[in-house]
Amino acid sequence: MKIKFFAIMILIGLTFAISANSLTETTFSDGIKNYQNKNYKLALKDFKKIENTGLNDDKIFYNIGNCYFRLGKLGRAIQYYKIALKANPNNKKARKDLEYALTLTKDKQRIENKSMAEKTILRIYNYFSPNLSAIISLLFFLGIILTLNIMILNFKGREKTVPIFIMIILIIFFIVFSMISYLKWKNFHNITEGVLLTSTEAGYSGPSEDFTRVFTIHEGMIFKIEKSDGDWCQIQLNNGLGGWIRNEAIGKIGLTE
Amino acid sequence: MKTMNYKKIIITISLLMTIFSVSALSIQSYVDVTKVGINDTFTLTIEISGKNASKVDEVKLPNKLDFDVIGQTSSSSSSITIVNGKMERKTTKSFIYTLQPQKIGTFIIAPISLTFKGKTITTSPIKMVVTKNSGNRPSHQNRQQQNQFFADPFTSNQPRQNISKNNTFVIAKLNKNTVFEGEPVIVSYYLLTKDRLLNLSFGKSPDYKGFWKENLYTADKVSFQRTNYKGQIYKQMLLTKIALSANNSGKLFIPSLEMNVQVSVPARSFFDFDSSRQITVRSKKIPLTVLPLPTKNQPVSFTGAIGQFTLEDSLNVSGLKVGDSFTYTLKIKGKGNFNQFVAPQLKKMVHFHFLDPETKTGFFDKTNMSGIKRIKYLVIAEEEGNYQIPKIEFSFFNPQIKKYITLSTKPHNLEIKAGKKSFIPNGFVQSNVSSEGADIGFIYTTISKKPKQLLFDKFVYWLIYLFSILSLIGAYYYSKEKNKLLNNTEYRRIKNASKILKKYLKEAEEYSKNGDKKFYSSSQVGISNYITDKLNISRGSTTSEIYDKIKSGKFANILDDIKEYFEICDRARFTPEEISKEKIQSDEEKLRSLISKIQQI
């Protein structure tokens, strides 16, 4: 009885999953068709629909960015390129297009140039996706447990140098990878950056228009988000200037909203 | 050998240098003052410099000289300068004449010429004014006294040396006095001085009204050069160099430059200190004639360029497709007022998207206004087809030949093929075309369906961690158990008792099924072994011994049942007759009830 019930449940689940998958598939191909026919608005709608199903795919963010770019919404385009890069920092297309889009902004800004060493470290760091590093750290943990088990079961009173040596190495790797996965997990959930979506926006010294104006920025400006207070957000520009701007004007660069 | 070669080379080079330098001889003459009293003396110095200067033995003074020569000396000096590893030797020979005027008036010291190795070099004439009174400088004798104030320091009551503006002044030099409207004239302001200057600063900045000014050079440090100005030796310094272009025609004045100068006044006597005086000097206004540009034959494409230019264009295209971009560059090279004319425009073409052109002006040499202006167009093709980039005309006025000249580029043909890419939409503010010809890439046509959840956020992930830790605890207890079994026989016996019992009972069951008498023996051995193991008595103990142990042990309350079963077994084992299957099975029932009782304990 129980087995039958489970089997039915699994079957129902599978059919749902398959139907959902085929749904995204058709929407996706519709989106591509619309994009090719320069119906960017429709293409954007399709891609947005897929985004809302909760996919964590840099490619879909990139496509949305391209639609916005074609529609002339530079701020949104930059936001989605940045999101694509957040989901997959190795997405070269998104990086290239972001760089290009940044040349079109009124405020001069550029992706910082990094030294060779920094680049290599970043490349290694970016090679591991959050889930991959989580799996690797889990594997190392299981390795530690396995060696411990073997030591407990078989090595009573015998030479322990080799297993201890192996375990130390495993522990080091485990610490490294769990740190990487923690950072990636934090980065995944935190929203630290934003893009200006309106054509011009004034930054004030406090969360209201009554405060003094500190700066004026233009569409496509990327900045750090420090904190949010009601309708206002405290931001910091790349040049170190800080100020408050309206929440509505900000396109947040985050994977979870 | 090698060093020999080097020596040879050096010798040849130095020889060559001497040969070339024969002609490099220069002469100049100067006086220490141009205004003298009738009773004063002054010195005329004729300076010959060059490699062979020391070979000059004498200089002839002009035949008609209105002054008496009262003394003559000559000196020579040589200096070696090494600039960028290049050695330069310079020899200077000076003939110094002390002259005294004969009468009052204005005289000219005629040019002094020198003929050396067939070449004649001449100085410029010097104007001298002889007055009745002593000139504004101490007499020759006084000056000597002043120089040697140690000789009589206490009686020195000379008037303080006159720091006149004649000793320090600013002059403006123009490269031409007549220019056309818009044509740049290069003005160089020089500071000339005979005094020791302590400080130097620009005064009020001149008002260049009516001019368009371009700064070419401004001195940032003090460096003087010796120069001969109107027959006198001064220290000269180039202060600033500017290019001025007049906005209107007519007679204009080059404004004067004001300088604040701090002049050192030497000590008068032994008890005096050097002091300084602040003076302001300014250059004279210089008239400049500005001619209007001729209106006749003025081309339509003339936008104010004056000078001499060449026009060039370049187009980088190969296999253009729709959506591709290309650059069209226009280069205007030459000399003239680069910053003052409007660059020629490329007419916007249909089916092409033009980004704002990027115009850059660079100077090859700022001091003569030669440079290049580059106008870069970034164009994106929107539709396929055959097109033509029209010719571009550029006109300028050449002031040397006083004529307008029109240059023109050739038209270019363009073939745009059909392509996948589409063009950038309008509406972007073009700030800086840094990534040339770039466009965004095409969208991805396949996606992976990664769910938007991280393993870190999943419960299952952490469950694996929990289980693995639990496995550790399990392993610990397992190993502890195993250890106990290995090291403690009593414990092992107790632990294994039921296993052994089960083995015997299984055997007994088999026998009972077949109705075999062996059922009794195996079941009895099984139970007795079980009990001995559990109570830790040796296996070989007799039944009575076992019963004694049971009495004091934990099986005390089932002793009777055990006794009863054992008796049944004994009886069955030792009767020679066969036992019926039914009997065995009924005894098996008894065994079962006994075992269930044992297991309950």
Side-chain angles (χ1 to χ4, degrees):
Chain A
M1 269 306 282
K2 267 187 178 173
I3 294 165
K4 259 189 187 173
F5 174 75
F6 272 116
I8 288 166
M9 284 301 284
I10 286 166
L11 224 93
I12 290 168
L14 266 174
T15 41
F16 261 105
I18 289 164
S19 64
N21 260 351
S22 60
L23 191 78
T24 53
E25 210 107 285
T26 48
T27 338
F28 188 69
S29 56
D30 281 352
I32 289 165
K33 254 179 231 160
N34 283 328
Y35 188 90
Q36 275 166 339
N37 296 332
K38 297 175 187 177
N39 289 327
Y40 300 122
K41 264 190 185 167
L42 291 176
L44 179 66
K45 236 183 200 172
D46 292 332
F47 292 141
K48 273 279 205 184
K49 224 184 255 173
I50 298 166
E51 190 207 359
N52 291 334
T53 60
L55 279 185
N56 176 28
D57 192 347
D58 52 305
K59 289 173 184 168
I60 196 79
F61 301 135
Y62 174 80
N63 286 3
I64 293 169
N66 265 12
C67 288
Y68 275 126
F69 188 90
R70 292 289 183 222
L71 290 168
K73 290 184 175 172
L74 195 57
R76 281 277 182 204
I78 288 171
Q79 182 196 0
Y80 272 91
Y81 291 144
K82 285 286 275 187
I83 293 172
L85 282 173
K86 189 162 186 170
N88 176 13
N90 294 328
N91 191 325
K92 277 182 190 157
K93 259 169 127 180
R95 185 166 297 276
K96 205 178 140 246
D97 284 8
L98 173 66
E99 266 168 29
Y100 178 62
L102 287 182
T103 62
L104 302 174
T105 58
K106 253 190 183 173
D107 302 307
K108 292 267 152 62
Q109 47 182 339
R110 207 151 276 195
I111 292 179
E112 311 144 53
N113 280 327
K114 286 182 172 108
S115 69
M116 228 17 236
E118 276 179 309
K119 267 187 194 168
T120 338
I121 290 168
L122 264 182
R123 200 170 294 164
I124 293 166
Y125 178 75
N126 290 339
Y127 178 78
F128 299 101
S129 72
N131 281 348
L132 182 64
S133 51
I135 287 170
I136 290 171
S137 53
L138 177 64
L139 287 179
F140 277 113
F141 185 77
L142 291 180
I144 293 166
I145 295 291
L146 196 73
T147 22
L148 269 175
N149 277 342
I150 288 168
M151 272 164 72
I152 289 167
L153 296 177
N154 283 347
F155 281 78
K156 263 264 139 86
R158 284 196 222 170
E159 185 62 46
K160 280 180 185 168
T161 342
V162 176
I164 282 175
F165 179 71
I166 290 168
M167 212 169 71
I168 286 168
I169 290 169
L170 288 173
I171 285 171
I172 290 167
F173 272 101
F174 170 69
I175 288 169
V176 168
F177 275 96
S178 49
M179 264 161 70
I180 290 174
S181 3
Y182 172 71
L183 287 176
K184 288 193 178 259
W185 175 76
K186 220 179 155 190
N187 177 51
F188 185 89
H189 285 287
N190 279 6
I191 296 167
T192 54
E193 277 187 310
V195 180
L196 193 74
L197 300 177
T198 56
S199 63
T200 28
E201 198 70 33
Y204 296 91
S205 62
S208 153
E209 277 175 23
D210 306 332
F211 289 90
T212 46
R213 270 181 180 224
V214 184
F215 53 77
T216 307
I217 49 176
H218 299 94
E219 187 176 7
M221 187 73 181
I222 300 170
F223 43 76
K224 275 190 192 123
I225 297 175
E226 307 239 289
K227 66 178 169 196
S228 182
D229 181 15
D231 293 340
W232 292 79
C233 243
Q234 193 187 1
I235 63 158
Q236 196 188 14
L237 304 180
N238 271 347
N239 60 9
L241 262 178
W244 292 79
I245 65 169
R246 290 183 305 123
N247 231 337
E248 319 169 340
I250 303 172
K252 285 171 183 165
I253 298 162
L255 295 162
T256 47
E257 265 186 272
Chain B
M1 268 310 281
K2 263 198 170 172
T3 48
M4 276 292 283
N5 273 342
Y6 278 124
K7 269 184 188 168
K8 266 186 190 171
I9 289 164
I10 289 165
I11 289 163
T12 348
I13 288 171
S14 52
L15 271 173
L16 277 171
M17 275 167 79
T18 46
I19 291 162
F20 280 125
S21 55
V22 168
S23 55
L25 212 61
S26 68
I27 186 165
Q28 61 172 341
S29 66
Y30 53 88
V31 290
D32 57 346
V33 280
T34 51
K35 201 176 173 188
V36 289
I38 183 81
N39 294 322
D40 291 337
T41 57
F42 65 97
T43 56
L44 169 70
T45 310
I46 299 155
E47 204 175 85
I48 299 144
S49 55
K51 294 261 163 58
N52 289 345
S54 56
K55 290 181 186 166
V56 179
D57 297 326
E58 72 171 337
V59 190
K60 263 192 181 171
L61 284 180
N63 291 334
K64 190 186 162 280
L65 192 68
D66 299 306
F67 304 92
D68 293 327
V69 179
I70 56 170
Q72 182 192 351
T73 56
S74 72
S75 73
S76 72
S77 66
S78 67
S79 63
I80 293 168
T81 49
I82 297 172
V83 179
N84 294 334
K86 202 174 139 190
M87 193 177 76
E88 199 174 290
R89 178 191 285 271
K90 194 180 171 187
T91 313
T92 311
K93 184 150 190 178
S94 307
F95 296 92
I96 303 149
Y97 297 91
T98 311
L99 301 178
Q100 190 164 33
Q102 292 165 341
K103 50 197 169 188
I104 297 163
T106 306
F107 306 97
I108 303 261
I109 300 174
I112 298 151
S113 56
L114 169 74
T115 310
F116 184 75
K117 288 193 179 171
K119 277 203 170 176
T120 307
I121 41 178
T122 325
T123 66
S124 39
I126 302 167
K127 193 174 147 192
M128 289 297 300
V129 177
V130 182
T131 54
K132 199 178 176 184
N133 299 323
S134 170
N136 52 8
R137 69 173 193 118
S139 71
H140 190 63
Q141 286 85 358
N142 286 343
R143 206 153 38 125
Q144 271 186 347
Q145 248 181 32
Q146 194 192 351
N147 288 345
Q148 305 161 343
F149 54 76
F150 271 111
D152 192 5
F154 302 106
T155 55
S156 171
N157 53 357
Q158 292 287 327
R160 189 173 264 267
Q161 190 181 3
N162 195 0
I163 305 292
S164 79
K165 288 191 180 179
N166 294 344
N167 282 347
T168 305
F169 50 89
V170 178
I171 55 164
K173 279 186 188 165
L174 308 188
N175 68 336
K176 47 189 130 182
N177 289 317
T178 308
V179 289
F180 280 96
E181 210 180 298
E183 185 193 351
V185 56
I186 294 165
V187 186
S188 314
Y189 289 101
Y190 290 96
L191 178 80
L192 280 87
T193 186
K194 281 182 173 177
D195 297 320
R196 198 159 71 85
L197 303 186
L198 297 175
N199 204 352
L200 198 61
S201 63
F202 284 99
K204 260 188 280 168
S205 61
D207 179 19
Y208 298 102
K209 210 174 161 187
F211 289 104
W212 195 90
K213 180 194 154 209
E214 163 104 31
N215 209 351
L216 304 178
Y217 168 79
T218 305
D220 49 1
K221 59 172 191 255
V222 178
S223 75
F224 283 107
Q225 281 176 323
R226 236 157 71 101
T227 188
N228 188 346
Y229 178 71
K230 284 185 181 165
Q232 290 193 54
I233 286 293
Y234 287 94
K235 290 185 284 177
Q236 174 191 276
M237 175 190 169
L238 177 60
L239 296 169
T240 177
K241 206 168 197 178
I242 53 172
L244 295 176
S245 342
N247 296 333
N248 294 308
S249 58
K251 194 134 185 131
L252 293 172
F253 282 94
I254 300 290
S256 58
L257 182 79
E258 200 178 282
M259 291 297 294
N260 296 322
V261 185
Q262 201 180 7
V263 186
S264 158
V265 182
R268 222 168 10 146
S269 71
F270 185 70
F271 296 108
D272 200 2
F273 292 106
D274 277 7
S275 57
S276 67
R277 232 179 76 191
Q278 185 83 27
I279 54 170
T280 304
V281 287
R282 50 178 78 79
S283 66
K284 277 181 191 157
K285 281 188 178 178
I286 298 175
L288 180 74
T289 313
V290 182
L291 303 172
L293 288 170
T295 46
K296 219 174 97 184
N297 297 333
Q298 194 178 63
V300 189
S301 55
F302 179 73
T303 56
I306 294 168
Q308 264 182 303
F309 301 99
T310 57
L311 183 69
E312 244 180 77
D313 68 339
S314 61
L315 181 67
N316 69 324
V317 276
S318 57
L320 271 180
K321 283 180 188 161
V322 172
D324 284 350
S325 61
F326 61 91
T327 48
Y328 179 72
T329 316
L330 209 62
K331 277 186 218 163
I332 298 169
K333 229 196 247 178
K335 261 188 211 178
N337 55 348
F338 272 105
N339 287 333
Q340 271 175 287
F341 60 84
V342 183
Q345 293 273 326
L346 179 64
K347 268 187 198 160
K348 296 224 164 142
M349 291 140 66
V350 195
H351 300 314
F352 287 94
H353 181 71
F354 280 73
L355 300 178
D356 288 347
E358 196 183 341
T359 309
K360 266 186 195 162
T361 309
F363 283 103
F364 300 132
D365 187 0
K366 256 199 158 183
T367 51
N368 64 8
M369 303 289 282
S370 70
I372 186 166
K373 201 182 191 101
R374 272 197 196 89
I375 304 116
K376 216 181 214 176
Y377 291 91
L378 183 62
V379 190
I380 298 158
E382 292 176 1
E383 296 285 334
E384 53 181 298
N386 285 310
Y387 302 97
Q388 192 178 55
I389 293 180
K391 64 175 187 177
I392 292 178
E393 277 193 352
F394 171 64
S395 303
F396 62 91
F397 181 74
N398 188 335
Q400 282 177 357
I401 53 169
K402 293 175 186 165
K403 264 183 187 167
Y404 288 104
I405 291 165
T406 301
L407 301 173
S408 167
T409 62
K410 280 178 192 158
H412 296 271
N413 288 321
L414 273 178
E415 193 196 345
I416 312 292
K417 286 173 189 156
K420 264 188 185 176
K421 275 198 249 172
S422 51
F423 65 94
I424 301 177
N426 295 315
F428 281 141
V429 186
Q430 190 70 19
S431 55
N432 184 20
V433 187
S434 64
S435 41
E436 228 175 69
D439 187 18
I440 56 169
F442 193 68
I443 52 170
Y444 284 101
T445 47
T446 51
I447 45 165
S448 58
K449 286 169 197 77
K450 280 187 243 166
K452 214 176 186 172
Q453 209 180 3
L454 291 188
L455 283 176
F456 258 50
D457 297 323
K458 276 186 182 165
F459 179 66
V460 182
Y461 180 76
W462 297 107
L463 212 61
I464 296 171
Y465 275 92
L466 190 73
F467 275 127
S468 58
I469 290 167
L470 285 178
S471 84
L472 211 62
I473 297 165
Y476 173 72
Y477 278 106
Y478 178 73
S479 79
K480 210 175 165 186
E481 188 74 28
K482 214 174 163 189
N483 235 15
K484 221 173 177 180
L485 286 176
L486 269 170
N487 302 337
N488 192 339
T489 37
E490 188 188 334
Y491 181 73
R492 190 172 61 231
R493 279 181 69 189
I494 294 166
K495 272 275 153 183
N496 291 343
S498 13
K499 247 192 222 168
I500 294 161
L501 175 65
K502 256 182 203 163
K503 200 179 109 197
Y504 280 105
L505 288 180
K506 219 177 174 186
E507 238 177 73
E509 209 176 336
E510 287 285 305
Y511 292 131
S512 88
K513 262 183 196 167
N514 303 333
D516 202 329
K517 230 169 72 177
K518 278 178 189 163
F519 162 77
Y520 294 101
S521 61
S522 70
S523 65
Q524 196 185 7
V525 170
I527 289 167
S528 83
N529 275 0
Y530 178 77
I531 288 163
T532 48
D533 281 351
K534 280 281 182 193
L535 296 178
N536 201 22
I537 349 169
S538 70
R539 287 258 175 100
S541 313
T542 55
T543 324
S544 57
E545 273 171 1
I546 293 169
Y547 291 159
D548 283 348
K549 286 275 177 188
I550 290 173
K551 261 180 213 162
S552 56
K554 54 180 178 178
F555 297 108
N557 48 349
I558 55 161
L559 178 63
D560 294 334
D561 296 300
I562 294 167
K563 263 186 182 171
E564 189 195 334
Y565 187 72
F566 275 16
E567 270 162 28
I568 294 168
C569 287
D570 284 341
R571 238 180 283 141
R573 273 166 76 188
F574 299 114
T575 38
E577 331 149 10
E578 283 295 306
I579 295 158
S580 70
K581 207 173 180 180
E582 287 76 36
K583 174 84 170 84
I584 291 172
Q585 265 159 12
S586 74
D587 285 338
E588 199 188 340
E589 283 301 311
K590 273 177 193 159
L591 176 65
R592 277 184 206 286
S593 74
L594 176 65
I595 284 164
S596 72
K597 271 177 193 164
I598 288 170
Q599 276 172 342
Q600 272 166 19
I601 293 160

